[in-house]
Structures are given as structure tokens and as C-alpha cells.
Amino acid sequence: ELFTMFSNSVTNGGKTTLAKKLKNMLPNCDIISQDDFFKPESEVETDGRGFKLYDVLDALYMDEMVTSIRNWMKSPASSGVVTEEPQNTCDNLKNVYILIVEGFLLYNYEPLNELWNRRYFLTLPYEECKRRRSTRVYQPADTPGYFDGHVWPMYLKYKNELEENASMQVDYLDGTKSQEELLSYVYSDIIQELNKLRE
């Protein structure tokens, strides 16, 4: 039985950390990260201000990402990175395979929309997001004004599109909460959903 969950987030919202911790707690769980599908810098467009447009779908090999997800779903047990079941896993969940897909532009890409069981979206206020972004080292490095000129406007654009899509069921999470609190909530929610599937 397959269970797929998507973790979407503003930049530095904590999605990767959350996904890794969930993997260690859930049975037969794998992660596919959108960051692994970025095009090389030479293929990413530059706008009139000289900003590299990384926070758009065209900066990613999305077809390859969809293929990777579908291949995992066809044969999760042979993916090669399936974890051992955690000791506290209920017996009725041992035949479940869970895929966490984490990224920043997942819900605005139509071919992915049919693949989910649960969607989570980590949000941050502007100041906290900018503060966290400033502590990270990127390759290539952020140019002056890049956060305000490209990153934050693109986040608001995609979030607004998502909120306007009434058919999209998304669980919005406050990224300023502690990792422990977020982890506890999402883990409990997933276990509840898995038990519903098994009924």
C-alpha cells in the first residue's frame, strides 16, 4: 500500500529537516527532494535586473521529478533506500510504503496534483524568512536585493495561486513553531491518515 505526502514551503521554512525526521519515524519511508532537480546555472534564465530566476518551475527539470516519483510508486520496495521499520511502528502499518516529496514549488505543477495523499505547506513571515535566508550559503550566492526582488515575490505569487484554488486541500503549518511541535503534529496526522486507509 502506498502513501504519498508533499511538504511545500517558503524558502528556509524547515521542510527538509521535517522530512528527514519523519523518515526516521515512519515505516518504509523515502524522500524525493525538488532541490535535486534544479537545472545547472547556465540553463537558468536571468531577468532584466540580473537576477537568476531560480524560484520558478522553468528552473527545474520537473518532468524528471515526476518520472522519479512515478518510478518509486511502481516499485517502492526496490527503491534501494527503504528504511527499516522503526521499533514503535504498529503491525498494521508494516506493509505500507511512504514517500515524502519535499520542495518549494510542488502544488503549482499540474502533473503532481493527482499523486498526493496529504499536502503540508510551511509558512513564515517576511522578516523571519529573510533572517533565515541570510544565514544560509547558496551556490550561486544570492546577489544584493535578490530576496526582495525575486525570492519573496515569487513565494507570494505561488502561495496566492494556491489559496485561490478551492479544490486544493492543503494543511498550512506555522514554520515559526518548534521542530518538535511541527514533527509531532505531522507525524500524528500521517498515522491517522494511514489508519483510515487501512480501515
Side-chain angles (χ1 to χ4, degrees), residues 130-149:
K130 189 171 185 177
R131 185 193 69 76
R132 290 188 190 183
R133 178 95 183 188
S134 70
T135 66
R136 294 275 292 274
V137 177
Y138 289 91
Q139 287 296 333
D142 282 356
T143 53
Y146 187 69
F147 180 85
D148 289 314

Side-chain angles (χ1 to χ4, degrees), residues 8-10 13 121-125 155 159 163 172-176:
N8 204 93
S9 168
V10 62
F121 194 113
L122 282 151
T123 63
L124 282 177
Y155 162 65
K159 186 167 178 278
E163 290 169 340
Y172 290 92
L173 307 176
D174 179 356
T176 63

Side-chain angles (χ1 to χ4, degrees), residues 56-125:
V56 297
L57 287 166
D58 283 346
L60 296 142
Y61 293 118
M62 290 304 295
D63 288 348
E64 288 184 17
M65 185 176 184
V66 173
T67 299
S68 293
I69 293 169
R70 290 193 180 279
N71 285 342
W72 184 94
M73 293 176 77
K74 283 178 196 167
S75 184
S78 63
S79 63
V81 285
V82 171
T83 61
E84 293 294 319
E85 284 115 3
Q87 293 300 309
N88 61 350
T89 301
C90 303
D91 285 343
N92 69 335
L93 298 180
K94 291 201 172 173
N95 294 321
V96 174
Y97 291 90
I98 299 169
L99 179 65
I100 300 172
V101 181
E102 61 98 358
F104 66 105
L105 284 177
L106 297 173
Y107 304 151
N108 309 77
Y109 189 65
E110 195 65 36
L112 288 176
N113 285 345
E114 67 199 62
L115 303 179
W116 60 275
N117 289 100
R118 294 292 283 154
R119 298 173 191 265
Y120 303 96
F121 194 113
L122 282 151
T123 63
L124 282 177

